[in-house]
């Protein structure tokens, strides 16, 4: 699991979003982290410590003078035992205090005494967030190396709309996982394709496939977490854009081809790695009917198909080609087909997976094929497979 062995202090301060900290806590423990919750007195007005205690399996601390810590140095004991402190929600008051080194309760004191990274997820009314005093405090915190996650824009508990909503627990969890990920690809530009393509036949019909895009999005996420600058050219999928990823939406193979080629060719081509994960349609209708096709009386419609460009093969054939990685989703003869594809497309690495075991599902069994031979990865979720793939790519790049 992504946060196995990580010790996190989860600070909860007094804002309505404190209820979301319970979901965040579940996510953190679910990812393998050991979490110690510390609340401000105001936070206990919104959610009781009992909730966090039950979810973390640890006593919750609120008070500086808690006698459960034998040497009365809760602030030192708690901050020393953490790999990171995450404060979510972080109120305007908490940010102000932290920016100025004020320490008048357990959470602010342990934050001042920390020797580990501090991440904050601000949550407040939009006017409070925009107030020049808060802006100054957020700047000061950034200069001190505090990582600010959010806030997001949207509806607020006060009925107003704007910047100040706490980033959603799932996104905060992802940011924290990204924060701890080894930075294998710092300074590298990675371009990838993901999802299906949709080849129109007429204004309402077309040909597509069942690719969910999840493997591609997992690789985009893992690459960004590994420090790469990631651009994701995506076919139509119902997935949120991973944090710190630039996403370009396309529909057809031709659009995908154009967006990819413009980024790997020409003067501003700076792509180091190209990962082709999209399930690109092999064929498209030669002509897209401008009008909806009508049922032909007494006959079947005739649609002529033409071949789509092979994006991966074309990129791999460029003079200064980036390091190219392909995917081979096969329903049989995985090894033979994957090896053949690697050779035919002249790419250094191909990821093979048997689709009956992985297409659309959560668990994947994949084998990596490169110059050194085949490397089966243990069966795992897409996020884990993506992380291992990124590590393998970084390793091969290092050897180049
Ligand atoms: O040729 P095949 O579709 O089996 O190869 C799969 C690999 O090639 C995948 O990495 C896929 O993203 C890429 N591909 C491509 N453009 C196509 C067809 C496949 O980039 N037109």
């Amino acid at each position: 699991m992504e946060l196995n062995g990580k010790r996190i202090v989860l600070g909860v301060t007094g804002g309505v979003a404190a209820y979301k900290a319970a979901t965040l806590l579940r996510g953190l423990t679910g990812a393998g982290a050991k979490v110690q919750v510390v609340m401000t007195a105001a936070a206990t007005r919104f959610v009781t410590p009992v909730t966090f205690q039950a979810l973390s399996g640890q006593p919750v601390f609120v008070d500086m003078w808690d006698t459960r810590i034998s040497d009365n140095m809760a602030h030192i004991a708690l901050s020393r035992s953490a790999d990171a402190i995450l404060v979510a929600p972080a109120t305007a008051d908490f940010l102000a205090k932290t920016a100025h080194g004020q320490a008048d309760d357990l959470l602010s004191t342990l934050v001042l005494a920390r020797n580990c990274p501090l991440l904050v997820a601000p949550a407040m009314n939009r006017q409070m967030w925009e107030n020049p005093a808060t802006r100054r405090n957020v700047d000061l915190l950034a200069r001190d190396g505090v990582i600010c996650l959010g806030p997001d824009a949207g509806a607020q508990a006060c009925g107003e709309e704007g910047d100040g909503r706490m980033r959603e627990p799932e996104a905060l969890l992802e940011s924290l996982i990204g924060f701890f990920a080894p930075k294998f690809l710092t300074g590298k530009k990675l371009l990838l394709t993901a999802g299906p393509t949709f080849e129109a036949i007429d204004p309402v019909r077309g040909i597509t496939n069942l690719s969910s895009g999840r493997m591609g999005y997992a690789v985009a996420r893992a690459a960004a977490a590994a420090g790469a600058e990631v651009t994701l050219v995506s076919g139509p999928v119902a997935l949120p854009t991973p944090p710190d990823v630039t996403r370009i939406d396309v529909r057809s193979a031709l659009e995908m081809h154009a967006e990819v080629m413009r980024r790997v060719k020409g003067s501003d081509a700076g792509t180091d790695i190209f990962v082709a994960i999209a399930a690109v349609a092999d064929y498209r209708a030669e002509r897209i009917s401008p009008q909806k096709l009508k049922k032909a009386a007494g006959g079947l419609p005739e649609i002529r198909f033409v071949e789509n460009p092979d994006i991966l093969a074309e990129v791999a054939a460029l003079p200064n080609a980036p390091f190219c990685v392909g995917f081979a989703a096969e329903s049989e003869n995985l090894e033979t087909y994957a090896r053949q594809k690697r050779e035919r497309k002249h790419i250094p690495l191909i990821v093979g997976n048997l689709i009956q075991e992985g297409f659309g599902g959560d668990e994947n069994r994949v084998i990596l094929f490169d110059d050194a031979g085949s490397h089966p990865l243990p069966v795992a979720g897409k996020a884990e497979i993506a992380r291992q793939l990124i590590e393998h790519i970084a390793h091969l790049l290092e050897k180049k």
Side-chain angles (χ1 to χ4, degrees):
M1 281 182 292
E2 297 96 329
L3 295 178
N4 256 351
K6 294 284 180 255
R7 295 157 311 168
I8 311 293
V9 166
L10 175 62
V12 183
T13 68
V16 185
Y19 79 95
K20 292 189 186 172
T23 310
L24 175 60
L25 172 55
R26 281 211 78 113
L28 291 168
T29 55
K34 190 155 183 255
V35 187
Q36 171 64 62
V37 178
V38 177
M39 304 174 76
T40 62
T44 65
R45 300 287 192 122
F46 291 92
V47 185
T48 75
V50 178
T51 304
F52 293 110
Q53 182 153 330
L55 293 174
S56 66
Q58 303 285 334
V60 169
F61 293 95
V62 180
D63 181 9
M64 283 277 276
W65 317 109
D66 199 311
T67 50
R68 287 173 296 176
I69 292 199
S70 53
D71 63 2
N72 279 341
M73 293 215 219
H75 58 298
I76 304 291
L78 295 174
S79 72
R80 287 301 171 274
S81 59
D83 294 304
I85 301 171
L86 169 61
V87 180
T91 57
D93 175 59
F94 174 80
L95 298 180
K97 283 198 327 203
T98 309
H100 293 91
Q102 204 179 329
D104 60 1
D105 64 3
L106 178 59
L107 183 61
S108 53
T109 312
L110 83 86
V111 160
L112 192 63
R114 75 185 182 278
N115 61 355
C116 67
L118 171 64
L119 300 93
V120 295
M124 67 197 73
N125 165 268
R126 67 181 173 89
Q127 217 74 61
M128 293 168 80
W129 176 249
E130 280 160 22
N131 188 295
T134 306
R135 306 260 45 81
R136 277 196 302 276
N137 292 334
V138 171
D139 280 350
L140 281 176
L141 290 170
R143 265 188 261 161
D144 291 344
V146 175
I147 296 164
C148 191
L149 307 172
D152 287 345
Q156 305 207 300
C158 52
E160 294 180 12
E161 184 100 16
D163 281 342
R165 271 172 70 91
M166 188 174 88
R167 193 172 273 184
E168 291 302 326
E170 297 74 20
L172 289 176
L173 177 63
E174 233 176 62
S175 302
L176 195 70
I177 290 170
F179 174 78
F180 282 116
K183 303 293 174 248
F184 293 120
L185 295 181
T186 299
K188 300 281 184 224
K189 276 192 181 177
L190 184 143
L191 175 68
L192 76 161
T193 63
T197 64
F198 179 89
E199 309 300 329
I201 291 172
D202 71 12
V204 290
R205 303 189 184 91
I207 297 175
T208 187
N209 60 66
L210 286 176
S211 164
S212 67
R214 283 192 294 155
M215 190 67 234
Y217 276 58
V219 174
R221 181 176 292 119
E229 191 183 323
V230 181
T231 305
L232 166 63
V233 180
S234 174
V237 296
L239 294 171
T241 309
D244 304 318
V245 166
T246 306
R247 168 170 166 181
I248 291 135
D249 284 318
V250 295
R251 210 161 77 140
S252 66
L254 284 183
E255 282 170 29
M256 186 174 274
H257 175 259
E259 291 294 347
V260 167
M261 294 322 285
R262 101 159 41 131
R263 286 173 177 78
V264 291
K265 260 170 111 169
S267 52
D268 62 342
T271 300
D272 301 291
I273 305 159
F274 175 57
V275 191
I277 314 178
V280 184
D282 291 324
Y283 309 103
R284 66 178 183 278
E286 185 176 42
R287 174 179 170 275
I288 302 172
S289 166
Q291 303 302 334
K292 191 176 162 196
L293 292 178
K294 304 303 286 177
K295 210 175 202 174
L300 292 172
E302 222 172 71
I303 301 165
R304 282 181 59 83
F305 288 103
V306 289
E307 205 165 330
N308 274 324
D310 188 323
I311 305 170
L312 175 58
E314 219 174 289
V315 173
L318 287 172
N320 277 315
F323 183 86
C324 287
V325 183
F327 268 66
E330 305 294 345
S331 56
E332 56 176 357
N333 299 333
L334 176 63
E335 181 130 8
T336 316
Y337 289 156
R339 281 182 196 282
Q340 282 171 358
K341 236 169 239 186
R342 190 174 96 87
E343 278 161 30
R344 197 172 63 239
K345 299 192 189 219
H346 301 290
I347 52 175
L349 175 63
I350 196 155
V351 183
N353 81 296
L354 269 176
I355 53 178
Q356 62 261 48
E357 292 179 45
F359 217 62
D362 253 334
E363 293 277 279
N364 258 21
R365 182 196 301 277
V366 311
I367 306 177
L368 310 183
F369 300 91
D370 59 19
D371 288 344
S374 61
H375 316 269
L377 299 185
V379 175
K382 290 190 163 118
E384 182 56 30
I385 301 264
R387 252 189 307 282
Q388 294 199 26
L389 172 63
I390 290 299
E391 191 173 344
H392 196 82
I393 292 173
H395 177 67
L396 293 180
L397 273 178
E398 220 171 70
K399 287 205 299 193
K400 259 189 26 164

